[in-house]
Amino acid sequence: IGAGPAVSAEELIRAAEPVLGNLTEVTGETAFISRRIGVAAVCLAQVASPQALRVVLEPGQAGPLHIGAVGEVLLAFAPEEVQDAALADVPGGSAVHQALARVASEALATDTGDTFIGVTTVAVPIMRADGIVAAICVAAPGERAGRRWQARTRGALRRAASEIEASLGSPP
């Protein structure tokens, strides 16, 4: 459903890995990159937090697009037919559509326990002129993810997304 920009997973991972490492260092938490495959959000790569209590999302792990910051970012920038397919059997799908409009306008989503109880995730899109390529995210145990941390993380994520976008270049 909706092929999206032609950036291979390998190319995306290669561009993202050093940025993910820096993002983990700056935020102190796990950074990962996911992309939409069909109607699922699939983790491509992560750099885990060095802290003993940490959030880990393994490469290949998939989740629905309508739950959580990662899925919301990927779905907000997906074609309308993908949004409709992803929300077809979701109770309250029209409310989710409205939330997606806000995510798209802010180019940001925050999840405070929707995906995993006790976990806060902040995500932003990685874009090219031909559309969304992926979402880059940071996830932390909720007790370490206060408002100040979230504000710092939003800025770090936006800088990280810009860095990856620049390394991917323009579409052919």
Side-chain angles (χ1 to χ4, degrees):
I1 297 175
V7 175
S8 73
E10 294 80 16
E11 181 182 8
L12 188 54
I13 292 166
R14 213 172 19 258
E17 278 183 334
V19 177
L20 291 173
N22 184 54
L23 198 51
T24 293
E25 189 175 310
V26 167
T27 64
E29 303 298 345
T30 299
F32 61 99
I33 189 166
S34 295
R35 83 178 329 168
R36 181 182 61 79
I37 298 176
V39 291
V42 179
C43 177
L44 296 180
Q46 71 149 354
V47 174
S49 168
Q51 302 193 55
L53 177 62
R54 62 182 169 243
V55 178
V56 176
L57 190 68
E58 295 296 333
Q61 189 172 340
L65 289 173
H66 69 282
I67 298 174
V70 175
E72 288 176 359
V73 165
L74 293 170
L75 192 55
F77 290 93
E80 190 173 338
E81 67 270 10
V82 172
Q83 291 183 5
D84 291 343
L87 300 175
D89 297 324
V90 174
S94 62
V96 176
H97 267 294
Q98 291 175 348
L100 294 176
R102 179 188 47 76
V103 169
S105 72
E106 295 175 7
L108 170 81
T110 302
D111 158 12
T112 53
D114 297 335
T115 307
F116 302 106
I117 295 170
V119 173
T120 297
T121 305
V122 183
V124 300
I126 296 172
M127 304 291 292
R128 287 198 331 177
D130 55 345
I132 187 167
V133 175
I136 188 166
C137 325
V138 176
E143 44 297 336
R144 290 198 304 256
R147 289 191 343 220
R148 192 172 286 161
W149 177 87
Q150 288 182 38
R152 280 194 329 268
T153 298
R154 284 191 296 269
L157 277 167
R158 287 191 166 117
R159 288 186 297 278
S162 292
E163 191 175 333
I164 294 169
E165 289 165 356
S167 70
L168 291 175
S170 300

